[in-house]
Amino acid sequence: MQTSIPTPKLLFFLRTIATSATGSYSTQSAASERGFLTLLHSCNTFSNLLQLQTQILKLGFHNNPLILTKFIAKSSDLNSIHYAHCFLFSPHSNTDFYDAFLFNTIIKAYAQSGDLKLKALWVFKLMLECQVLPNNFTYPFVLKACAGIGDLNLGKSVHGSLLKFGFDGNNHVLNTLVHMYCSCKGGIEIGRKLFDEMPKNDSVPWSAMIGGYVRLGRSNDAVDLFRQMQIQGVCPDEITMVAVLCACTDLGALELGRWVESLIEKRKLNKSVELNNALIDMFAKCGDVDKALKLFRTMNERSIVSWTSVIVGLAMHGRGLQAVSLFQEMIRDGVEPDGVVFIGLLSACSHSGFVGEGKEFFDLMKKEFAILPKIEHYGCMVDMLCRAGHVREAVEFVQKMPIEPNSIIWRTLVNACRTHSELKLGESLAKQLIQNEPTLEANYVLLSNIYAKMSHWEEKTKAREVMDKKGMRKIPGSTMIELNNKIYRFVAGDMSHNQFKEIFEMVDEMGREMKRAGYVPSTSEVMLDIDEEDKEDNLNRHSEKLAIAFALMNTPPGTPIRIVKNLRVCNDCHSATKFISKIYNREIIARDRSRFHHFKDGLCSCKDFW
C-alpha cells in the first residue's frame, strides 16, 4: 500500500519542477510535465492533492489537458471528484483546452459514484456545449450513469444523441445501451428489440440482456435466453454465469444450477470470488445448503459476502446452531462483520427460536462492533419475537424503537396476532395500517384475514368490498417445481395443466390417506363463510398440494420433492405436508418466501418456528 508523500519531499519536487518550468519550452518543459505526472501518480491523500492543485495554477498546467485529466482521475481515486469538478469548471476556467479524454474521465468518475450520477449527464451536456465531440468511450460512461439513475426518458434522449453522432454501429456502445434499457423501468422490451437486432458474437450482449431479465424478476426469460445462447454456440463468461445462477436462485431450480456448475467446470471459467459466491447462494437457496457449505470450505479467498451467504443459507434452513458457530469462526478469523451479516445471524435465531441468543447478538452488534441497527435489524428482532409467540413483547419492542417502524414491521405484528389469537390487537393494528397506507392491498387482506379468524364474516366482506371498489387484487399464492429441466407453476385450483384431472385425483387420494393417518384439516385457514366440507375442498386445492401431487405422479418412489412457494406456507399445508412425507416416504423440501422447510418422516425441520 502506498504511503502519502512527506510534505518536505513534495515541496522539493515541486520547486524542482518550478525551476525547470521557468526555462525555455521543449525538453525542460516536457521534463517538468513528466515530473508532475509522477507526483500525481504517487499522491494518495487529499492534502497532497491540494498542494498539487496549487502548483497546477502556479506552473501554468491549468491549460494542459493531460495534467488535468490525470488530476481528475486521482481526485476520483481519493473520492474527491466534486472538488476536482469545482476546480475544472470554475468561472475562471478556460475550457477551450479541454478534450474528449478529459471530459470522459470526469463523466466516468461520476457514473461510477453512488449518488452523483446525474452530474455525469451535466458534464456530458457541457461537453457538447463546448463543442467537444464525443468518442467511442463517451457513451458507455454516459449510458452507465443513465442505467444507475433508471430514468427511461433520460436514457432515450442519450440514445437519440448517439444516433445523431453515428455511434449506433459500435458494439461496445450497443452493449451498454441494452444494459441501460434493461435497467430502466419500462425499458426491458426496447432493450430486447435492440438485442435481437444487434450482432451477438460474444457473451457481452447476452450477459446484459440476461442480467436485465434477472433484475426484473423475469428469471424464466433469463433461463430461456441462456439456452438460446448455448444453441447459438456463444461461450458464456463469468458475468453471464453469475446472472444465470441468480436466475436459478430465484426459481429454486437446483438441477439447472447443478448443470450450470458443471458447465463452469467444463469451460474452465475463472472461479472468481463473485462466481463462487453466486454458486454458494444458489445452492443454499435452492435447498442444498450442505453443498454451499462445502464450496465455501474450498474457497482460497473469501469476501464478507461469502460468509454472509452461508450464514443466511443456514438461517433459511433452520440450522441456527451452525449459523452461530460459523459467525464465531468468522470473528476468530479476524473478519470484521457488517450489518448484513447480523441480519443473517438474527434471522438464524428467529427461524430456530433462539430468542435469548438473538437479543445478545443484537446488543453485541451495537456494543462490540459499533454497528448502528437499521430498520432491517429491528425487523429481524420483531420477527424473532413474533415467531416465538411473544407478541406483546414484540409490540413493546416496537414502541421503544428509536426509529420509526416501517409497514413491514407492522404487518409482521398483525400476522403474529392472527397466528397467536391476539385478534383484537391485530384488528387495531391492521386498521392503523390502512390509515397509513390506504392504497396497499396487503393491508386490507390482513384485516380481512383477522375478521375471518374471528368469524366476523360481515366485516370481512366489507373489507373485501373496499378492495374491489379500489380495484385491488390479492397476490395469488403460487408454487413452482422443477422437473426434467422444466419449471412448472401451479396456483390454487389450477386447471391449466394438461394433467389436471390426474392431479386432482391424486390430491383426493392424498386427502384420504392423510385422514386415515390422523390428519385433521385446519379449516380456520379458509377465509370464506362456507360449510366445513367446502372448506376442506378449498384447502385441498392449494397450490403446494397440487405441486406435490404432480411430483408424486411423475417422479420415482422415494426420491426427494422440491417446491418453491411465493408466499408463506399456511398452517394447514404445513401440517398436511408432514403427513404426506411419512405416508409416501418422501423427503419434501419446501422454500417459502422467508425460509426452508425440510419435511421427513412426518416431521419438519422448522419445529413449527415458521
PDB file of all heavy atoms in Angstrom, residues 374-394:
ATOM      1  N   LYS A 374     -30.187  -0.878  11.796  1.00  0.00           N
ATOM      2  CA  LYS A 374     -31.078  -0.283  10.797  1.00  0.00           C
ATOM      3  C   LYS A 374     -32.457  -0.918  10.927  1.00  0.00           C
ATOM      4  O   LYS A 374     -32.670  -1.829  11.718  1.00  0.00           O
ATOM      5  CB  LYS A 374     -30.512  -0.494   9.388  1.00  0.00           C
ATOM      6  CG  LYS A 374     -29.186   0.222   9.159  1.00  0.00           C
ATOM      7  CD  LYS A 374     -28.716   0.036   7.735  1.00  0.00           C
ATOM      8  CE  LYS A 374     -27.418   0.796   7.488  1.00  0.00           C
ATOM      9  NZ  LYS A 374     -26.912   0.609   6.108  1.00  0.00           N
ATOM     10  N   ILE A 375     -33.372  -0.449  10.114  1.00  0.00           N
ATOM     11  CA  ILE A 375     -34.752  -0.937  10.199  1.00  0.00           C
ATOM     12  C   ILE A 375     -34.822  -2.452   9.980  1.00  0.00           C
ATOM     13  O   ILE A 375     -35.648  -3.135  10.588  1.00  0.00           O
ATOM     14  CB  ILE A 375     -35.658  -0.180   9.193  1.00  0.00           C
ATOM     15  CG1 ILE A 375     -37.132  -0.442   9.464  1.00  0.00           C
ATOM     16  CG2 ILE A 375     -35.287  -0.529   7.757  1.00  0.00           C
ATOM     17  CD1 ILE A 375     -37.626   0.178  10.744  1.00  0.00           C
ATOM     18  N   GLU A 376     -33.890  -2.990   9.131  1.00  0.00           N
ATOM     19  CA  GLU A 376     -33.880  -4.433   8.878  1.00  0.00           C
ATOM     20  C   GLU A 376     -33.539  -5.224  10.143  1.00  0.00           C
ATOM     21  O   GLU A 376     -34.080  -6.312  10.360  1.00  0.00           O
ATOM     22  CB  GLU A 376     -32.879  -4.783   7.771  1.00  0.00           C
ATOM     23  CG  GLU A 376     -33.240  -4.244   6.399  1.00  0.00           C
ATOM     24  CD  GLU A 376     -32.778  -2.826   6.160  1.00  0.00           C
ATOM     25  OE1 GLU A 376     -32.193  -2.215   7.095  1.00  0.00           O
ATOM     26  OE2 GLU A 376     -33.003  -2.309   5.054  1.00  0.00           O
ATOM     27  N   HIS A 377     -32.624  -4.686  10.961  1.00  0.00           N
ATOM     28  CA  HIS A 377     -32.260  -5.379  12.201  1.00  0.00           C
ATOM     29  C   HIS A 377     -33.420  -5.366  13.196  1.00  0.00           C
ATOM     30  O   HIS A 377     -33.704  -6.379  13.845  1.00  0.00           O
ATOM     31  CB  HIS A 377     -31.020  -4.722  12.822  1.00  0.00           C
ATOM     32  CG  HIS A 377     -29.823  -4.750  11.938  1.00  0.00           C
ATOM     33  ND1 HIS A 377     -29.415  -3.652  11.225  1.00  0.00           N
ATOM     34  CD2 HIS A 377     -28.957  -5.751  11.618  1.00  0.00           C
ATOM     35  CE1 HIS A 377     -28.345  -3.957  10.520  1.00  0.00           C
ATOM     36  NE2 HIS A 377     -28.043  -5.224  10.738  1.00  0.00           N
ATOM     37  N   TYR A 378     -34.079  -4.213  13.294  1.00  0.00           N
ATOM     38  CA  TYR A 378     -35.259  -4.155  14.164  1.00  0.00           C
ATOM     39  C   TYR A 378     -36.343  -5.095  13.655  1.00  0.00           C
ATOM     40  O   TYR A 378     -37.048  -5.743  14.442  1.00  0.00           O
ATOM     41  CB  TYR A 378     -35.778  -2.715  14.243  1.00  0.00           C
ATOM     42  CG  TYR A 378     -34.897  -1.798  15.068  1.00  0.00           C
ATOM     43  CD1 TYR A 378     -34.089  -0.843  14.463  1.00  0.00           C
ATOM     44  CD2 TYR A 378     -34.877  -1.898  16.461  1.00  0.00           C
ATOM     45  CE1 TYR A 378     -33.278  -0.004  15.214  1.00  0.00           C
ATOM     46  CE2 TYR A 378     -34.062  -1.069  17.223  1.00  0.00           C
ATOM     47  CZ  TYR A 378     -33.266  -0.119  16.593  1.00  0.00           C
ATOM     48  OH  TYR A 378     -32.455   0.692  17.345  1.00  0.00           O
ATOM     49  N   GLY A 379     -36.482  -5.180  12.327  1.00  0.00           N
ATOM     50  CA  GLY A 379     -37.460  -6.093  11.751  1.00  0.00           C
ATOM     51  C   GLY A 379     -37.174  -7.538  12.109  1.00  0.00           C
ATOM     52  O   GLY A 379     -38.094  -8.322  12.392  1.00  0.00           O
ATOM     53  N   CYS A 380     -35.888  -7.910  12.100  1.00  0.00           N
ATOM     54  CA  CYS A 380     -35.499  -9.282  12.486  1.00  0.00           C
ATOM     55  C   CYS A 380     -35.865  -9.564  13.935  1.00  0.00           C
ATOM     56  O   CYS A 380     -36.328 -10.666  14.268  1.00  0.00           O
ATOM     57  CB  CYS A 380     -33.995  -9.482  12.289  1.00  0.00           C
ATOM     58  SG  CYS A 380     -33.472  -9.633  10.576  1.00  0.00           S
ATOM     59  N   MET A 381     -35.658  -8.592  14.804  1.00  0.00           N
ATOM     60  CA  MET A 381     -35.977  -8.778  16.213  1.00  0.00           C
ATOM     61  C   MET A 381     -37.484  -8.949  16.423  1.00  0.00           C
ATOM     62  O   MET A 381     -37.934  -9.813  17.188  1.00  0.00           O
ATOM     63  CB  MET A 381     -35.474  -7.586  17.029  1.00  0.00           C
ATOM     64  CG  MET A 381     -33.957  -7.481  17.123  1.00  0.00           C
ATOM     65  SD  MET A 381     -33.225  -8.898  17.984  1.00  0.00           S
ATOM     66  CE  MET A 381     -33.803  -8.617  19.667  1.00  0.00           C
ATOM     67  N   VAL A 382     -38.264  -8.135  15.727  1.00  0.00           N
ATOM     68  CA  VAL A 382     -39.729  -8.255  15.825  1.00  0.00           C
ATOM     69  C   VAL A 382     -40.175  -9.610  15.290  1.00  0.00           C
ATOM     70  O   VAL A 382     -41.006 -10.296  15.908  1.00  0.00           O
ATOM     71  CB  VAL A 382     -40.416  -7.103  15.054  1.00  0.00           C
ATOM     72  CG1 VAL A 382     -41.931  -7.314  15.007  1.00  0.00           C
ATOM     73  CG2 VAL A 382     -40.087  -5.756  15.691  1.00  0.00           C
ATOM     74  N   ASP A 383     -39.603 -10.014  14.159  1.00  0.00           N
ATOM     75  CA  ASP A 383     -39.940 -11.310  13.571  1.00  0.00           C
ATOM     76  C   ASP A 383     -39.600 -12.449  14.532  1.00  0.00           C
ATOM     77  O   ASP A 383     -40.377 -13.395  14.701  1.00  0.00           O
ATOM     78  CB  ASP A 383     -39.178 -11.482  12.257  1.00  0.00           C
ATOM     79  CG  ASP A 383     -39.544 -12.762  11.526  1.00  0.00           C
ATOM     80  OD1 ASP A 383     -40.714 -12.902  11.130  1.00  0.00           O
ATOM     81  OD2 ASP A 383     -38.674 -13.636  11.374  1.00  0.00           O
ATOM     82  N   MET A 384     -38.444 -12.350  15.190  1.00  0.00           N
ATOM     83  CA  MET A 384     -37.999 -13.390  16.122  1.00  0.00           C
ATOM     84  C   MET A 384     -38.968 -13.514  17.301  1.00  0.00           C
ATOM     85  O   MET A 384     -39.377 -14.620  17.682  1.00  0.00           O
ATOM     86  CB  MET A 384     -36.600 -13.050  16.628  1.00  0.00           C
ATOM     87  CG  MET A 384     -36.022 -14.037  17.633  1.00  0.00           C
ATOM     88  SD  MET A 384     -34.415 -13.483  18.239  1.00  0.00           S
ATOM     89  CE  MET A 384     -34.892 -12.058  19.224  1.00  0.00           C
ATOM     90  N   LEU A 385     -39.354 -12.379  17.868  1.00  0.00           N
ATOM     91  CA  LEU A 385     -40.288 -12.405  18.995  1.00  0.00           C
ATOM     92  C   LEU A 385     -41.661 -12.919  18.573  1.00  0.00           C
ATOM     93  O   LEU A 385     -42.296 -13.697  19.301  1.00  0.00           O
ATOM     94  CB  LEU A 385     -40.411 -10.987  19.590  1.00  0.00           C
ATOM     95  CG  LEU A 385     -39.156 -10.441  20.280  1.00  0.00           C
ATOM     96  CD1 LEU A 385     -39.305  -8.953  20.574  1.00  0.00           C
ATOM     97  CD2 LEU A 385     -38.850 -11.211  21.556  1.00  0.00           C
ATOM     98  N   CYS A 386     -42.093 -12.525  17.396  1.00  0.00           N
ATOM     99  CA  CYS A 386     -43.415 -12.954  16.911  1.00  0.00           C
ATOM    100  C   CYS A 386     -43.448 -14.450  16.622  1.00  0.00           C
ATOM    101  O   CYS A 386     -44.423 -15.131  16.965  1.00  0.00           O
ATOM    102  CB  CYS A 386     -43.787 -12.167  15.659  1.00  0.00           C
ATOM    103  SG  CYS A 386     -44.239 -10.448  15.978  1.00  0.00           S
ATOM    104  N   ARG A 387     -42.400 -14.971  15.979  1.00  0.00           N
ATOM    105  CA  ARG A 387     -42.370 -16.406  15.671  1.00  0.00           C
ATOM    106  C   ARG A 387     -42.399 -17.248  16.951  1.00  0.00           C
ATOM    107  O   ARG A 387     -42.966 -18.340  16.969  1.00  0.00           O
ATOM    108  CB  ARG A 387     -41.111 -16.748  14.866  1.00  0.00           C
ATOM    109  CG  ARG A 387     -41.140 -16.303  13.422  1.00  0.00           C
ATOM    110  CD  ARG A 387     -39.837 -16.644  12.718  1.00  0.00           C
ATOM    111  NE  ARG A 387     -39.773 -16.049  11.398  1.00  0.00           N
ATOM    112  CZ  ARG A 387     -40.244 -16.625  10.291  1.00  0.00           C
ATOM    113  NH1 ARG A 387     -40.812 -17.814  10.369  1.00  0.00           N
ATOM    114  NH2 ARG A 387     -40.143 -16.028   9.127  1.00  0.00           N
ATOM    115  N   ALA A 388     -41.776 -16.720  18.004  1.00  0.00           N
ATOM    116  CA  ALA A 388     -41.728 -17.450  19.273  1.00  0.00           C
ATOM    117  C   ALA A 388     -43.003 -17.255  20.098  1.00  0.00           C
ATOM    118  O   ALA A 388     -43.117 -17.805  21.191  1.00  0.00           O
ATOM    119  CB  ALA A 388     -40.513 -17.003  20.077  1.00  0.00           C
ATOM    120  N   GLY A 389     -43.943 -16.466  19.584  1.00  0.00           N
ATOM    121  CA  GLY A 389     -45.206 -16.264  20.274  1.00  0.00           C
ATOM    122  C   GLY A 389     -45.206 -15.138  21.282  1.00  0.00           C
ATOM    123  O   GLY A 389     -46.188 -14.944  22.003  1.00  0.00           O
ATOM    124  N   HIS A 390     -44.113 -14.350  21.335  1.00  0.00           N
ATOM    125  CA  HIS A 390     -44.016 -13.246  22.300  1.00  0.00           C
ATOM    126  C   HIS A 390     -44.572 -11.966  21.660  1.00  0.00           C
ATOM    127  O   HIS A 390     -43.854 -10.980  21.481  1.00  0.00           O
ATOM    128  CB  HIS A 390     -42.563 -13.043  22.738  1.00  0.00           C
ATOM    129  CG  HIS A 390     -41.934 -14.270  23.309  1.00  0.00           C
ATOM    130  ND1 HIS A 390     -40.577 -14.376  23.546  1.00  0.00           N
ATOM    131  CD2 HIS A 390     -42.459 -15.459  23.712  1.00  0.00           C
ATOM    132  CE1 HIS A 390     -40.309 -15.582  24.042  1.00  0.00           C
ATOM    133  NE2 HIS A 390     -41.449 -16.243  24.149  1.00  0.00           N
ATOM    134  N   VAL A 391     -45.850 -11.991  21.335  1.00  0.00           N
ATOM    135  CA  VAL A 391     -46.449 -10.901  20.562  1.00  0.00           C
ATOM    136  C   VAL A 391     -46.461  -9.603  21.361  1.00  0.00           C
ATOM    137  O   VAL A 391     -46.106  -8.535  20.848  1.00  0.00           O
ATOM    138  CB  VAL A 391     -47.870 -11.275  20.113  1.00  0.00           C
ATOM    139  CG1 VAL A 391     -48.474 -10.142  19.275  1.00  0.00           C
ATOM    140  CG2 VAL A 391     -47.853 -12.571  19.306  1.00  0.00           C
ATOM    141  N   ARG A 392     -46.893  -9.664  22.624  1.00  0.00           N
ATOM    142  CA  ARG A 392     -46.957  -8.450  23.444  1.00  0.00           C
ATOM    143  C   ARG A 392     -45.571  -7.827  23.631  1.00  0.00           C
ATOM    144  O   ARG A 392     -45.404  -6.604  23.593  1.00  0.00           O
ATOM    145  CB  ARG A 392     -47.577  -8.782  24.807  1.00  0.00           C
ATOM    146  CG  ARG A 392     -49.041  -9.191  24.736  1.00  0.00           C
ATOM    147  CD  ARG A 392     -49.939  -7.993  24.479  1.00  0.00           C
ATOM    148  NE  ARG A 392     -51.333  -8.385  24.277  1.00  0.00           N
ATOM    149  CZ  ARG A 392     -52.308  -7.526  24.069  1.00  0.00           C
ATOM    150  NH1 ARG A 392     -52.048  -6.226  24.025  1.00  0.00           N
ATOM    151  NH2 ARG A 392     -53.555  -7.950  23.882  1.00  0.00           N
ATOM    152  N   GLU A 393     -44.567  -8.680  23.824  1.00  0.00           N
ATOM    153  CA  GLU A 393     -43.195  -8.182  23.959  1.00  0.00           C
ATOM    154  C   GLU A 393     -42.733  -7.526  22.664  1.00  0.00           C
ATOM    155  O   GLU A 393     -42.022  -6.505  22.678  1.00  0.00           O
ATOM    156  CB  GLU A 393     -42.244  -9.317  24.340  1.00  0.00           C
ATOM    157  CG  GLU A 393     -40.832  -8.846  24.620  1.00  0.00           C
ATOM    158  CD  GLU A 393     -39.867  -9.974  24.975  1.00  0.00           C
ATOM    159  OE1 GLU A 393     -40.331 -11.124  25.178  1.00  0.00           O
ATOM    160  OE2 GLU A 393     -38.645  -9.706  25.027  1.00  0.00           O
ATOM    161  N   ALA A 394     -43.151  -8.107  21.533  1.00  0.00           N
ATOM    162  CA  ALA A 394     -42.795  -7.535  20.233  1.00  0.00           C
ATOM    163  C   ALA A 394     -43.402  -6.149  20.069  1.00  0.00           C
ATOM    164  O   ALA A 394     -42.748  -5.221  19.563  1.00  0.00           O
ATOM    165  CB  ALA A 394     -43.268  -8.454  19.106  1.00  0.00           C
TER     166      ALA A 394
END
